[in-house]
């Protein structure tokens, strides 16, 4: 690996990788004929399907190269930016200025070690036809990007980050296994909307320059294939809708359309809103599919374009790999059907299954999402419990979503500083209004409330009391055999956690830390980790591993690159980054393919 200390530097290997992909895309495009570039038979140089983050980035790159682009989406303009708008804005950087400020020593080599240990690629990495072949290549390219150019590129677009770096997915317990060895979760100042903003501005400026045309309420139902190449799209024009961002919109058809272009870029997202589709792809390794789930994405995240692209010859790989959260709350003020919000927990709450049995390592808050998901489904129930204290939630609870973090989203320093002396207002609102919270002064009252909420008597007071008291005895010394208490002390050794994410060690049953709080945790659907297999230029591959002329994909529909850049599990902060990187790559390659 060749390194450079210059900000935004690109290694020789990375440069050759990108250049090779772009040149390959251009060569294939020229060979595919008829003439590429807008002609009398074309409506544009490129069509981008999906106006989420990856679609905006790809469109911005195409427009920057002077290409004329049609940007289509089945949703109204209010939902421009897609899921990214709703996000916490977390981005994965390696050896960043923020990490160094917090005393974190990170490196490309450590990040790659963590990525490989987390991904667990095992499906034909060295086989050109293997499901993980291109995913592994994309992963290596992405880690290079996160360690080199990514931060400088985004900072040049005006993005800034909260200086305290979060430590998500702390892992399964071994250095070369799952998890982040160091904090890498950088929260964007302004959260998800601030990640979307620079690319939306670029695209809207290109609209003014007549390079980009929005086609809202255009639902693609078919990719047009001519002589083995994708040459356009067909679909339905949906009834105009004034639905607010994220809310379901009408599916009434008022017309049809057919649009042609030498390049189509699919950036349509995943399957998280379709619970039947999630269950159909649910892997046996995660236990039985939950009968009850809540939804972390708007209803339009329906996965339709996966099947549509497959019918045009695209290969779907790793469909059984997915990323769903275990700490979901039912939103008391929902925006979309079944709207769920995730708790981003610190390490101190005790975690129990539905029957009141404490989970063991690595099923500790913030450590190993999918292992804990398997433990929950293995319990025979679709939910679990945090038992915690007011002192813990005041310091350790954060909620996912831009709308749940008004201080960061609005860039309001006063509101942000208020977290020092009070529980954040969104947390208090959920505690007061959310149906998943039980608050009590005593443990018997808490257990009675938990059983009443669940509608059964699964929690035994004596059993729960015994487990909590056993944990509480372990905090009398600065050393312990309790893995979770070890983890709390480890977290407190990191200044970022001490400042903002970890409460001081205390007994759960200490009245001064109360009241006691139990939180019912629901399984929350979120990300699709597999998808359309793409090469390093974003070209969609067919079953034989050959690129389909004129067809590109980026973002979640492509498994964030290669059909599954994350492998089996995520390091977090990598979903938005995957949209940025794959959207940029596909946009640049598609622009090169339509040159001249």
């Amino acid at each position: 690996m060749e390194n450079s200390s210059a900000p935004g530097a690109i290694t020789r290997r990375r440069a050759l990788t990108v250049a090779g992909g772009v040149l390959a895309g251009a060569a294939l495009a020229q060979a595919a004929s008829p003439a590429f570039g807008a002609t009398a038979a074309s409506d544009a140089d490129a069509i981008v399907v999906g106006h989420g983050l990856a679609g905006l980035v790809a469109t911005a790159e195409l427009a920057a190269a002077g290409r004329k682009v049609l940007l289509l989406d089945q949703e109204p303009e209010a939902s421009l930016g897609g899921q990214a708008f709703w996000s916490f804005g977390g981005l994965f950087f390696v050896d960043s200025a923020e990490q160094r400020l917090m005393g974190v020593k990170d490196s490309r080599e450590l990040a790659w070690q963590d990525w490989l240990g987390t991904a667990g690629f095992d499906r034909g990495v060295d086989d050109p036809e293997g499901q993980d072949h291109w995913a592994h290549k994309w992963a290596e390219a992405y880690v290079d990007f996160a360690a080199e150019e990514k931060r400088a590129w985004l900072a040049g677009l005006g993005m800034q980050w909260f200086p305290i770096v979060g430590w998500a997915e702390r892992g399964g317990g071994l250095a070369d296994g799952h998890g982040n060895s160091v904090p890498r979760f950088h929260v964007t100042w302004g959260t998800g909307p601030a990640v979307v903003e620079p690319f939306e501005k670029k695209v809207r400026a290109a609209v003014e320059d007549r390079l980009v045309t929005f086609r809202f309420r255009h639902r693609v139902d078919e990719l047009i294939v001519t002589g083995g190449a994708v040459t356009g799209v067909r679909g339905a024009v949906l009834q105009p809708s004034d639905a607010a961002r994220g809310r379901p919109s009408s599916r009434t058809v008022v017309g049809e359309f057919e649009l042609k272009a030498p390049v189509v870029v699919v950036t349509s997202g995943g399957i998280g809103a379709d619970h039947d589709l999630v269950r159909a792809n649910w892997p046996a390794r995660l236990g039985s599919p939950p009968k009850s789930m809540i939804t972390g994405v708007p209803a339009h995240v329906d996965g339709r374009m996966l099947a549509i692209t497959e019918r045009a010859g695209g290969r779907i790989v790793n469909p059984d790999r997915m990323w769903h959260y275990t700490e979901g709350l039912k939103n008391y003020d929902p925006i979309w059907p079944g709207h769920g919000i995730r708790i981003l927990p610190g390490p101190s709450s005790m975690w129990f299954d539905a029957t009141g049995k404490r989970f063991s390592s690595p099923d500790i808050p913030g450590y190993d999402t999918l292992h804990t998901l398997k433990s929950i489904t293995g319990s025979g129930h679709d939910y679990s419990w945090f038992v915690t204290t007011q002192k813990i939630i005041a310091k350790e609870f954060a909620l996912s979503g831009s709308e749940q973090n008004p201080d960061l989203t609005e860039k309001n320093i006063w509101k942000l500083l208020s977290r020092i002396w009070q529980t954040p207002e969104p947390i208090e609102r959920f505690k007061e209004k959310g149906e998943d919270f039980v608050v009590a002064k005593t443990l018997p009252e808490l257990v009675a409330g938990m059983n009443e909420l669940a509608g059964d008597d699964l929690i035994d007071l004596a059993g729960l009391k015994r487990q909590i008291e056993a944990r509480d005895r372990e905090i009398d010394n600065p050393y312990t055999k309790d893995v979770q208490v070890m983890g709390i002390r480890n977290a407190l050794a990191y200044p970022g956690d001490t400042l903002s994410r970890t409460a001081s060690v205390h007994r759960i049953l200490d009245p001064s830390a109360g009241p006691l709080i139990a939180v019912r945790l629901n399984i929350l659907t979120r990300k699709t980790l597999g998808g359309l297999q793409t090469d390093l230029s974003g070209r969609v591959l067919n079953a034989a591993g050959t690129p389909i002329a004129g067809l590109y994909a980026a973002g979640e529909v492509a498994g964030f690159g290669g059909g599954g850049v994350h492998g089996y599990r995520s390091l977090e902060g990598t979903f938005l980054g995957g949209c940025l990187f794959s959207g940029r790559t596909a946009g640049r390659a598609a622009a090169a393919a339509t040159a001249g």
Side-chain angles (χ1 to χ4, degrees), residues 377-456:
T377 59
S379 74
H381 300 274
D382 295 338
Y383 67 95
S384 60
W385 293 97
F386 276 167
V387 173
T388 188
T389 67
Q390 182 68 34
K391 182 175 181 179
I392 290 172
I393 74 163
K395 188 72 174 284
E396 297 192 6
F397 275 27
L399 299 175
S400 64
S402 54
E403 81 282 12
Q404 299 298 331
N405 294 275
D407 49 356
L408 291 163
T409 301
E410 298 167 10
K411 303 181 182 181
N412 188 314
I413 294 176
W414 174 251
K415 283 185 180 180
L416 182 64
L417 291 175
S418 72
R419 293 191 186 211
I420 296 172
W421 64 82
Q422 66 181 14
T423 307
E425 184 181 349
I427 298 291
E428 281 297 314
R429 284 202 301 268
F430 263 91
K431 192 181 81 173
E432 295 169 7
K433 299 180 179 181
E435 66 177 86
D436 295 310
F437 281 78
V438 179
V439 182
K441 291 183 179 179
T442 68
L443 190 60
E445 292 173 323
L446 190 76
V447 170
M450 293 166 72
N451 284 331
E452 181 181 0
L453 177 59
D456 51 39

Side-chain angles (χ1 to χ4, degrees), residues 248-274:
S249 61
S250 165
R251 288 295 178 263
T252 301
V253 174
V254 297
E256 298 177 346
F257 69 89
E258 179 175 310
L259 297 167
K260 294 184 178 180
V263 161
V264 174
V265 185
V266 178
T267 61
S268 55
I271 68 173
D274 188 333

Side-chain angles (χ1 to χ4, degrees), residues 244-485:
R245 181 185 292 276
R247 294 196 180 277
S249 61
S250 165
R251 288 295 178 263
T252 301
V253 174
V254 297
E256 298 177 346
F257 69 89
E258 179 175 310
L259 297 167
K260 294 184 178 180
V263 161
V264 174
V265 185
V266 178
T267 61
S268 55
I271 68 173
D274 188 333
H275 289 194
D276 290 338
L277 199 52
V278 168
R279 292 187 185 96
N281 288 284
W282 192 273
R285 66 180 177 275
L286 293 180
S288 299
K291 295 179 181 178
S292 175
M293 296 182 284
I294 56 178
T295 310
V297 294
H300 62 258
V301 185
D302 54 18
R304 291 181 68 257
M305 284 303 301
L306 282 161
I308 290 167
T309 309
E310 187 176 35
R311 286 197 294 271
R315 183 190 187 197
I316 296 174
V317 295
N318 303 310
D320 61 320
R321 293 181 182 171
M322 49 187 68
W323 188 256
H324 305 303
Y325 289 115
T326 51
E327 313 98 331
L329 302 175
K330 295 178 181 178
N331 195 341
Y332 64 87
D333 186 20
I335 296 171
W336 52 79
H339 188 177
I341 298 293
R342 183 203 176 197
I343 297 172
L344 285 73
S348 301
S349 297
M350 295 185 70
W351 207 336
F352 299 88
D353 71 14
T355 69
K357 179 182 178 182
R358 187 184 181 191
F359 289 124
S360 59
S361 177
D363 302 332
I364 298 169
Y367 275 70
D368 192 331
T369 294
L370 291 194
H371 191 284
T372 308
L373 177 58
K374 180 181 179 181
S375 296
I376 292 170
T377 59
S379 74
H381 300 274
D382 295 338
Y383 67 95
S384 60
W385 293 97
F386 276 167
V387 173
T388 188
T389 67
Q390 182 68 34
K391 182 175 181 179
I392 290 172
I393 74 163
K395 188 72 174 284
E396 297 192 6
F397 275 27
L399 299 175
S400 64
S402 54
E403 81 282 12
Q404 299 298 331
N405 294 275
D407 49 356
L408 291 163
T409 301
E410 298 167 10
K411 303 181 182 181
N412 188 314
I413 294 176
W414 174 251
K415 283 185 180 180
L416 182 64
L417 291 175
S418 72
R419 293 191 186 211
I420 296 172
W421 64 82
Q422 66 181 14
T423 307
E425 184 181 349
I427 298 291
E428 281 297 314
R429 284 202 301 268
F430 263 91
K431 192 181 81 173
E432 295 169 7
K433 299 180 179 181
E435 66 177 86
D436 295 310
F437 281 78
V438 179
V439 182
K441 291 183 179 179
T442 68
L443 190 60
E445 292 173 323
L446 190 76
V447 170
M450 293 166 72
N451 284 331
E452 181 181 0
L453 177 59
D456 51 39
D457 293 316
L458 292 177
I459 307 295
D460 174 66
L461 172 60
L464 195 71
K465 183 173 184 287
R466 175 186 58 78
Q467 293 173 91
I468 295 174
E469 288 180 338
R471 176 266 185 203
D472 281 357
R473 293 187 189 102
E474 295 291 317
I475 69 169
D476 288 341
N477 296 292
Y479 41 84
T480 177
K481 72 175 183 179
D482 189 284
V483 173
Q484 183 174 7
V485 176

Side-chain angles (χ1 to χ4, degrees), residues 51-52 73 75-83 85-86 216 243-247 249 298 300:
H51 67 200
D73 200 283
E75 293 307 298
E77 186 172 1
S79 288
L80 190 67
Q83 292 172 251
F85 181 91
W86 298 106
F216 303 112
R245 181 185 292 276
R247 294 196 180 277
S249 61
H300 62 258

Side-chain angles (χ1 to χ4, degrees), residues 63 79 135 138 140 254 344 451 454 523 542 552 562-563 569 588:
S79 288
W138 269 93
E140 189 169 16
V254 297
L344 285 73
N451 284 331
I523 294 172
N542 62 21
Y552 295 75
R569 293 174 293 192
R588 291 182 178 182

